Each structure stands twice: as structure tokens, then as C-alpha cells.
Amino acid sequence: MKTDSFSGKLPWEGRPPIFEHVKAHLKDKNEKDRYLPDVSENNLHWKDYTPGYNDYSLIDREDPKINSKFINRLIYLFDNYSKHAHLEDKVKFYNMVKDHHIIGYMDEFFEKLSDRKIRIEYNAIELIYWMVRKAPDQEVVKLGILFVGMLRNKKDLNLLTTLSQHEEFTFYVGIALFNMTPEWEVILIKLIEPLSGYGKLLCLRYLLSNSEQEDTIEWCIRYGYQRLEMTELGVMDCMQYCNVPDYLQKEKWDEPLTRGVQVMLLFSLQYIEYEPVFDRIGKILYLYLRQTCGKRRGIIQYFILLWADNFLKSFKENEEVVEIADITEEEFADIWIEVLQEKKKSWYAEFHMCWDLDRDKLCKHANKAFSELLMKRFDQW
């Protein structure tokens, strides 16, 4: 890469590339090995670092430090480097990118870049691949990934696949794939299937918000929750970005769909009194009970009915719950009747007696059942 007479220490000088670190630790299961080099430089202990958490927490917030002047300056430096390859422009561009969360300005940045018809020529392309492969700061790598998607070169799929396996970068790989190939959903689902953290959560939200394919929505509802460590966040996002009741009324119910709906109910009904943010939960409960009452039993069904009973009581007492329940009085009455009838049956009575007399035993049984349902270790009971 061309250089000129820039004086002073370069911001990337003597620091390890993030891409090489990710590649070296692809098979590591230890959380400490997922700790990125630039995080350690900021003196954050590896136990306090969760890949993708900052982006997930910032995605719906505006960054007060980002304004049109910042975006225009960044575009100017990128364009100027593309034309002249001045090292000073690269340094200034690099420092601006590394010190700000890309998630707070990426949409506006690329929109303005497109509006101004900025051409991505040789120097810029060289810079983009350098950002992805050699940069020691994660925000620079993220912006590089987004640029790689804009280049639409399918030869870059291996590069993106490598970075996607670290959940700090998975979401950005998803956006890059969206711009790169019409098969982006199929590829992204394969990449996030084995993941469990905030990178997967961000991609689930992105899939639900941007996909027009029924198969993608089907996968998110049936399997998206599997292995997720923050299951309740996945449930909230699914309810927010997908009209689940409308989907359930049209879809043929099979075992994966039933299990997916069970996860939604388990992680919404039990919290409804404390955090009434689960949109359409009443309608989902109504549709689920129509499919399962009289046909399904077991500890998962027991807890759904137990918490459904509490939800119905809250419905009568709490106006906020009524607003989010999204059910008619007739549907409410039908749910109430179904729950009361199931609670009178012997299988429910046996579980409830165990809840009263030997709660530890029941909780152990519940943890095992929940672990199988979620495909992860669950020991919260």
C-alpha cells in the first residue's frame, strides 16, 4: 500500500490484527479465547466482555456524538484516500472509525456514500481488505466487513464465514451477505445456527426485519431460540419484529412449531407481571391452547398452564396487560375455560402435588425438560 511522509506513530502500529486472532481461536470453546486484543488494551477484564453485547444494547439508540458533520468528514477522508492514497487521510479516517460505534451511523454513512456516487476504486478496495484482515480495532473491522459486502465478490464468502464465528462480527457479516448475494438468508442461517450469544440475537432480528421468505420466518420461530443464552430477548425480538399470531393462524402446526411456541410462552407468561412488554402474547396463548389442550401433557405443559392461570388473573386486574394481550373477551373466556378444564385433570394434579410436596424433585425434572427444549443447559430452577 502506498505511503507518504506521515510523521508520528501509526494507530495500528505494533498491534495484532483482529482477523488473525479470530482465525487462530475458531475452535476454542473457552470464553477467554473469544476476548479480542483491542478489548484487553482497554483494560477490560475478559469476564466483563461479552461479544456483541454493546451493539445489541446500542442498536436502537442514537449516538449524540454522531452528526452530519461527522459523516461528511468520514466520507471526505475515504474518498480522498481512494483518489490519492495519502497516509495522513488513512490515519484520520482510521482514528474516527475506531473511536465510534459503527452501529450508530452505518446506515446514514452508506446512504450518503451512495447518494454522492462515491466510486470505490483501487486504493479504496485495498484499504477495505486491509481494514478486515489487518486492523487491530474491532470497529474498523466491522466497517470493513460492510464494505466487503458492497463489493459483491462471492470469493469473499470464506473471509466472512471466518469472522462470523466470533459474535462481535456476526451481525455485520449478515448485513454484508444481504448486499452480496440473493442467497443471504440461507447462508446466514447456517452460520448462526450453532451460535448462542448477542451476535445470533442481532442476526435473528435482522432476518425477521428484512426477510420476505416464508422459510426464513419459519426457521426463526421454530428453531431460532435453540442454544440462545438470552432466550427471553430472542422471544421479545421475535414478537416485536414478526406478526406471530398471523403466522400461527396460517401455518400447519407440527412438533418444531409447537416447541417454538412453547418457548415463547415459557419466557413471556412467567414475566408478564413484572415486565409487560410481550406484544400479542394473549393471542399466541389462545392459538396454542386450541392446538394442545386435551392432547398434550407433561412438565412443559404444566408450567405453561400454571403461568397462563397467573396471566389470566393479571388480565382481569392489570390494564397494561389487557393492552398487550391482543385478545377479545370471547377469546379470553375460551382460554380461561381451557385452562380450568386442564387443571382439573389427574396429570396436572400430580405435577401440582409434586410442586407442593417435593419442589426440588420437580425443579430437577423441569430443568432437564427445559434443557432438551432449548438445546442448552438450563438450571435456573
Side-chain angles (χ1 to χ4, degrees):
M1 184 175 287
K2 183 180 175 182
T3 62
D4 51 30
S5 57
F6 176 82
S7 60
K9 185 176 180 180
L10 300 171
W12 53 83
E13 190 176 337
R15 300 169 62 207
I18 281 180
F19 176 73
E20 294 300 325
H21 176 86
V22 171
K23 192 167 63 171
H25 294 284
L26 281 180
K27 297 182 180 180
D28 292 329
K29 301 296 183 182
N30 192 326
E31 288 184 23
K32 190 172 182 179
D33 294 320
R34 312 299 283 171
Y35 189 44
L36 295 174
D38 64 330
V39 177
S40 62
E41 290 171 356
N42 291 325
N43 297 316
L44 183 68
H45 193 275
W46 68 268
K47 289 184 178 179
D48 297 321
Y49 168 66
T50 304
Y53 171 76
N54 282 338
D55 286 333
Y56 188 84
S57 63
L58 294 171
I59 192 168
D60 294 322
R61 300 182 193 176
E62 290 187 6
D63 187 342
K65 298 177 182 177
I66 303 296
N67 52 38
S68 294
K69 185 177 179 181
F70 173 89
I71 300 291
N72 292 336
R73 177 65 174 161
L74 207 58
I75 290 174
Y76 167 78
L77 290 170
F78 178 79
D79 187 36
N80 212 43
Y81 184 82
S82 180
K83 293 173 180 174
H84 308 294
H86 290 158
L87 182 58
E88 185 176 356
D89 289 329
K90 178 182 175 182
V91 171
K92 290 177 180 178
F93 177 79
Y94 188 96
N95 283 331
M96 286 184 72
V97 174
K98 80 178 179 66
D99 291 334
H100 297 85
H101 291 287
I102 179 67
I103 202 160
Y105 66 88
M106 59 184 183
D107 292 338
E108 186 179 353
F109 174 79
F110 282 103
E111 185 177 329
K112 286 191 174 183
L113 202 68
S114 176
D115 289 345
R116 297 179 189 183
K117 296 181 172 55
I118 303 294
R119 296 185 64 181
I120 300 179
E121 298 181 349
Y122 177 80
N123 291 327
I125 293 172
E126 192 177 35
L127 173 63
I128 287 166
Y129 286 111
W130 179 90
M131 290 166 69
V132 174
R133 293 183 177 277
K134 300 297 182 182
D137 290 285
Q138 58 184 268
E139 297 303 321
V140 179
V141 176
K142 291 172 186 177
L143 183 57
I145 290 170
L146 297 179
F147 269 122
V148 166
M150 302 290 287
L151 297 178
R152 297 183 176 87
N153 186 345
K154 288 193 175 182
K155 291 181 180 180
D156 293 324
L157 282 174
N158 287 338
L159 174 67
L160 295 178
T161 297
T162 297
L163 285 162
S164 74
Q165 294 177 64
H166 193 292
E167 294 202 53
E168 192 66 57
F169 306 108
T170 315
F171 174 54
Y172 298 91
V173 170
I175 300 173
L177 290 171
F178 176 85
N179 290 310
M180 179 186 289
T181 171
E183 300 169 354
W184 70 276
E185 294 147 293
V186 175
I187 298 171
L188 183 57
I189 285 172
K190 287 181 180 178
L191 292 177
I192 68 172
E193 197 167 13
L195 304 181
S196 60
Y198 285 97
K200 183 173 186 174
L201 272 173
L202 285 163
C203 287
L204 284 172
R205 180 188 287 202
Y206 192 74
L207 284 164
L208 290 166
S209 301
N210 293 278
S211 175
E212 297 178 356
Q213 301 295 322
E214 283 292 325
D215 289 350
T216 299
I217 307 301
E218 177 182 313
W219 183 86
C220 289
I221 293 176
R222 282 172 162 82
Y223 307 106
Y225 64 86
Q226 292 178 346
R227 303 178 186 87
L228 265 183
E229 293 180 10
M230 292 71 56
T231 312
E232 65 279 6
L233 296 180
V235 168
M236 283 194 288
D237 284 346
C238 191
M239 291 187 179
Q240 181 177 351
Y241 294 98
C242 175
N243 189 337
V244 178
D246 183 60
Y247 175 83
L248 296 180
Q249 290 180 90
K250 295 186 297 184
E251 194 68 9
K252 181 180 178 181
W253 285 63
D254 53 17
E255 185 62 19
L257 179 59
T258 301
R259 290 167 72 87
V261 175
Q262 284 179 331
V263 172
M264 290 185 190
L265 294 172
L266 288 169
F267 284 89
S268 53
L269 290 174
Q270 63 175 314
Y271 300 122
I272 200 76
E273 293 181 18
Y274 309 104
E275 194 169 356
V277 295
F278 296 91
D279 191 22
R280 306 186 180 106
I281 185 59
K283 193 76 166 184
I284 295 170
L285 177 61
Y286 170 73
L287 294 168
Y288 173 80
L289 292 176
R290 277 203 325 185
Q291 292 289 332
T292 62
C293 276
K295 304 173 187 175
R296 206 170 189 98
R297 55 185 65 182
I299 196 158
I300 299 292
Q301 190 76 347
Y302 166 74
F303 276 109
I304 289 175
L305 292 169
L306 181 68
W307 290 327
D309 190 31
N310 293 334
F311 166 74
L312 294 168
K313 291 172 183 174
S314 298
F315 188 90
K316 300 180 77 174
E317 301 166 0
N318 188 333
E319 290 185 4
E320 199 168 17
V321 173
V322 174
E323 289 178 5
I324 66 167
D326 194 31
I327 53 175
T328 65
E329 290 185 12
E330 184 179 345
E331 289 168 341
F332 172 79
D334 288 344
I335 295 175
W336 190 265
I337 291 169
E338 295 277 15
V339 171
L340 289 178
Q341 287 179 342
E342 288 297 304
K343 287 177 68 178
K344 291 177 182 177
K345 294 181 179 178
S346 58
W347 73 266
Y348 183 93
E350 289 176 10
F351 278 116
H352 207 60
M353 184 181 296
C354 190
W355 178 258
D356 292 333
L357 300 178
D358 194 349
R359 190 163 296 189
D360 288 344
K361 180 180 178 181
L362 187 71
C363 288
K364 185 176 180 180
H365 182 27
N367 284 335
K368 182 179 179 182
F370 282 24
S371 296
E372 292 174 357
L373 180 64
L374 301 171
M375 293 185 68
K376 67 171 186 178
R377 183 177 178 181
F378 185 93
D379 55 6
Q380 295 180 21
W381 287 92

